[in-house]
Amino acid sequence: MERKIRVVMAKLGLDIHWRGVYLVSQFLKDAGMEVIYLGNKFPEQIVEAAIEEDADVVGLSTLGGNHLTLGPKVVTLLKEKGLDKVKVFMGGVIPPKHIPLLKQQGIYEVYGPDTPMDVIIKGISDSVTVH
Amino acid sequence: MADIDKLIRETLKGDKLAVSRLISVVERGHAQTPYILEKIYPHSGNAYYIGVTGPPGSGKSTTVDRLVKMLCSNNYSVGVIAVDPCSPFSGGALLGDRIRMNKRKSEWDVFFRSMSAGKIMGGLARTTKESSRILDASGKQIIVIETVGVGQSELDIAQATDTVVVILTPESGDNVQLMKAGLLEIADIFVVNKADRPGAENISMSIEAMLDRQRGKLEWRPPVLLTSASLGKGIEELYAEIWRHADYLRQDDKLKERRKSQLKGELKQRIESEIVNTLWQKIRDDADIDELVNDIWEQKIDPQSAAGKVVRRCLKD
Ligand SMILES: Nc1nc2c(ncn2[C@@H]2O[C@H](COP(=O)(O)OP(=O)(O)OP(=O)(O)O)[C@@H](O)[C@H]2O)c(=O)[nH]1
Ligand SMILES: [Mg+2]
């Protein structure tokens, strides 16, 4: 049975850096995924969408400032709602020293602005155990 | 089965997570789908179904967003299914940016699901019907279905909803005459959106003229409304007209008749696919298709006769 990976994509908080995340969304679509693009959202709304859309993956973009709090908050809220299996990815401008901190708090992977597209696509595909 | 039974139970109680999972299972045409539908069906049929369709970019999502907010503010619980086209190349899709654009009030009871139109098992008609029945059975009072009016989808939406809103724009202008008859025939309400742009009056007049020509034939004459969904203008009128149509349907069993005729269509479709599947199963077991292809290639038999022979033989035993 064909099983498309469903990805909810959002910009964290009031981040207005939209090109990056929209472009990534396009690439994921071209890789055969179903991408639900939300635009600017806060963690509560992102998790709400992940529930209703039965997402496998949540992708968050951030330009700075809020990632250390808002990113892990998405993970916590997902767990609270019983969505433990949903993988959370982050992308954007994130200082390298913050990456271990984010992963410790349950972020599955963090991609800098220069990450090649196929790395992101493969990372997402591999994170989802499709059965 | 235990898992599925639990999902069904929680769905009927309105649990969002269960509803969402169940829709996925059914959408993917999982082997348990018939069982799920059997259990869900007796609990459906309580919601009112609104369809919103029209050409790409006409403002369907913006209108749905406004309508859903009005419905929620009036204390209705609402389920939304938004179908978007998928990429013909990858099968992937980019869905979204609808009601979540703006903040939802926490007391609103709304469930929003995006779907891609492509490669759905058994077609769009099947999945929108089945998903909306799940939402219906989960306790949603209003179901709103958005699809782009291209190809077959507008007929599908007419087959699945009680009130169909067709949204056009001033840009549809001169094309109204040429416009696909399908879109015009299914409308219970016409909306000319983007009325903040020039040409809206014109298109509205040409729709009225078209309706005039059918005077006498129409028991319900679809109203033609002007809206600017992005500015929130005309939405209250649209809301009122939807309920006026609903009231109209509720007289003299019209709603019942409409739904029964939809069920008849659905039953026919399902019988057809049941026949095809059952026969194919048998044919695959019985006949050697490759051998037949050889015979056809060598012109021992023509394709039509070969097909007839296979099916008749299969039906005999
Ligand atoms: N000027 C004007 N623009 C509008 C109006 N309503 C919607 N739009 C804009 O038209 C564009 C398309 O709106 P959508 O609501 O996404 O249209 P849609 O019919 O759902 O589009 P698809 O689902 O892609 O077919 C957006 O940029 C809207 O902001 C309106 O009343 N006036
Ligand atoms: Mg739309």
Side-chain angles (χ1 to χ4, degrees):
Chain A
M1 188 64 42
E2 193 196 359
R3 162 81 160 80
K4 285 179 227 152
I5 297 174
R6 285 174 74 84
V7 187
V8 161
M9 293 287 273
K11 291 170 286 180
L12 263 186
L14 298 172
D15 193 342
I16 48 159
H17 167 80
W18 64 274
R19 266 176 196 285
V21 69
Y22 198 73
L23 204 64
V24 173
S25 299
Q26 293 279 1
F27 272 100
L28 296 180
K29 167 188 128 186
D30 292 338
M33 300 182 197
E34 287 183 353
V35 184
I36 297 102
Y37 178 75
L38 302 181
N40 284 99
K41 284 292 167 288
F42 284 98
E44 289 78 7
Q45 303 162 305
I46 295 167
V47 170
E48 199 167 70
I51 294 173
E52 293 170 22
E53 300 289 1
D54 199 15
D56 302 297
V57 169
V58 169
L60 306 172
S61 95
T62 166
L63 255 198
N66 56 22
H67 58 273
L68 274 183
T69 48
L70 295 187
K73 180 144 189 226
V74 171
V75 177
T76 317
L77 285 176
L78 283 170
K79 285 224 176 83
E80 261 172 37
K81 301 280 185 182
L83 296 171
D84 325 57
K85 290 198 185 122
V86 178
K87 310 289 190 302
V88 182
F89 288 74
M90 291 185 79
V93 184
I94 293 167
K97 62 174 181 193
H98 286 166
I99 294 176
L101 274 172
L102 288 169
K103 287 193 171 178
Q104 257 169 37
Q105 297 182 78
I107 302 292
Y108 193 83
E109 194 53 87
V110 181
Y111 296 122
D114 304 324
T115 315
M117 220 43 231
D118 38 337
V119 171
I120 299 180
I121 292 169
K122 188 168 183 325
I124 290 181
S125 302
D126 291 350
S127 78
V128 180
T129 38
V130 173
H131 30 231
Chain B
M1 234 23 149
D3 280 359
I4 289 290
D5 281 326
K6 185 161 175 255
L7 268 189
I8 294 171
R9 259 196 327 271
E10 316 239 285
T11 293
L12 295 177
K13 280 190 244 158
D15 180 73
K16 281 193 164 191
L17 211 53
V19 170
S20 179
R21 291 268 152 83
L22 211 57
I23 290 177
S24 298
V25 173
V26 164
E27 188 185 7
R28 286 168 189 146
H30 199 282
Q32 282 156 324
T33 303
Y35 178 78
I36 296 168
L37 298 174
E38 182 195 329
K39 297 290 174 204
I40 288 294
Y41 186 70
H43 302 276
S44 68
N46 304 312
Y48 194 80
Y49 290 68
I50 301 168
V52 177
T53 189
S58 60
K60 299 178 291 296
S61 298
T62 314
T63 305
V64 167
D65 178 89
R66 300 271 181 180
L67 270 181
V68 169
K69 280 177 187 147
M70 268 191 87
L71 288 164
C72 288
S73 311
N74 285 293
N75 294 320
Y76 287 105
S77 61
V78 186
V80 187
I81 295 176
V83 187
D84 278 319
C86 80
S87 152
F89 304 109
S90 70
L94 189 46
L95 315 161
D97 86 24
R98 284 164 286 245
I99 191 175
R100 299 189 195 96
M101 281 172 72
N102 303 308
K103 224 175 171 159
R104 270 193 211 178
K105 298 220 172 80
S106 55
E107 67 270 19
W108 287 358
D109 183 1
V110 54
F111 187 103
F112 195 104
R113 182 65 173 241
S114 317
M115 274 178 197
S116 99
K119 293 192 181 168
I120 289 174
M121 286 269 309
L124 180 63
R126 186 186 73 82
T127 27
T128 44
K129 262 212 170 101
E130 292 172 359
S131 313
S132 51
R133 273 186 194 139
I134 292 175
L135 287 172
D136 182 343
S138 83
K140 293 284 171 280
Q141 296 164 301
I142 314 280
I143 313 281
V144 182
I145 303 175
E146 176 193 338
T147 63
V148 183
V150 289
Q152 269 290 112
S153 61
E154 75 268 10
L155 297 179
D156 291 343
I157 209 169
Q159 272 292 308
T161 55
D162 302 316
T163 298
V164 176
V165 180
V166 170
I167 303 190
L168 307 167
T169 62
E171 286 74 36
S172 319
D174 300 335
N175 295 325
V176 170
Q177 302 295 336
L178 308 169
M179 233 176 63
K180 296 206 343 250
L183 215 47
L184 299 181
E185 272 164 23
I186 59 162
D188 298 304
I189 297 171
F190 282 104
V191 168
V192 181
N193 187 38
K194 309 199 185 182
D196 47 298
R197 293 191 187 163
E201 292 287 350
N202 274 345
I203 180 169
S204 138
M205 267 153 51
S206 54
I207 298 167
E208 296 281 13
M210 180 200 73
L211 294 171
D212 282 342
R213 286 197 295 278
Q214 298 180 45
R215 192 176 294 160
K217 277 188 267 173
L218 300 171
E219 205 188 326
W220 164 266
R221 181 181 169 124
V224 185
L225 311 174
L226 295 176
T227 64
S228 291
S230 56
L231 307 172
K233 284 201 183 133
I235 303 296
E236 275 161 35
E237 288 80 355
L238 173 58
Y239 187 88
E241 286 300 311
I242 290 172
W243 289 123
R244 192 168 71 85
H245 184 246
D247 286 341
Y248 160 80
L249 286 181
R250 286 189 185 116
Q251 298 159 19
D252 319 322
D253 276 349
K254 286 196 195 69
L255 184 61
K256 184 172 148 195
E257 276 160 31
R258 181 172 175 132
R259 287 187 175 182
K260 273 177 105 171
S261 112
Q262 292 172 343
L263 288 172
K264 193 170 180 178
E266 182 181 354
L267 181 63
K268 277 186 184 162
Q269 271 174 7
R270 288 191 189 264
I271 289 176
E272 269 170 35
S273 63
E274 198 66 30
I275 290 174
V276 170
N277 292 341
T278 315
L279 274 185
W280 257 124
Q281 189 60 47
K282 227 162 146 340
I283 287 170
R284 257 187 233 106
D285 294 345
D286 294 355
D288 189 342
I289 296 288
D290 288 334
E291 200 182 299
L292 261 179
V293 173
N294 267 332
D295 289 350
I296 297 169
W297 170 247
E298 286 166 12
Q299 299 187 322
K300 287 183 194 159
I301 190 168
D302 68 288
Q304 175 59 48
S305 308
K309 213 171 100 181
V310 167
V311 172
R312 272 191 303 276
R313 193 170 63 205
C314 175
L315 286 175
K316 232 176 257 165
D317 38 61

